[in-house]
Amino acid sequence: MFILYSTLGCHLCDQAEQLITPLMADFQLSWQRLDIAAPDHKLSDQSAEQLIARFGEQIPVLGVTFSQLTLAWPFDQAAVLQFIQALMLEAERAEQQGDA
């Protein structure tokens, strides 16, 4: 699952959401927006303090639950597509290594 790390009142986060929504739909990918300052996250095993320290000055940030790879703002559709492709390659490599 993709995660858009954001926070309340972030107009860049709103722009990022508008940008990724059609791409996620086109690729039938699930995603959710996560407020890094919210005290109880169900999408991350990190606390709000940890997320703020990690992403606070970079939001919006696009990430996934199965990888450490992230894409920090500013990004456009081309960058999001490259990010999705990089994640697909990473998943393929991990699968191949698991089969070996």
Side-chain angles (χ1 to χ4, degrees), residues 11-62:
H11 73 281
L12 295 176
C13 300
D14 296 337
Q15 289 178 15
E17 181 175 349
Q18 290 175 353
L19 186 139
I20 68 167
T21 297
L23 291 172
M24 296 295 159
D26 288 348
F27 286 95
Q28 299 179 349
L29 299 170
S30 62
W31 71 279
Q32 286 191 324
R33 189 168 171 168
L34 186 147
D35 182 349
I36 63 170
D40 56 345
H41 300 117
K42 298 202 180 9
L43 295 175
S44 175
D45 58 355
Q46 296 180 339
S47 69
E49 292 80 16
Q50 291 170 316
L51 291 172
I52 290 169
R54 183 173 177 198
F55 299 122
E57 295 186 21
Q58 298 176 350
I59 60 169
V61 175
L62 187 60

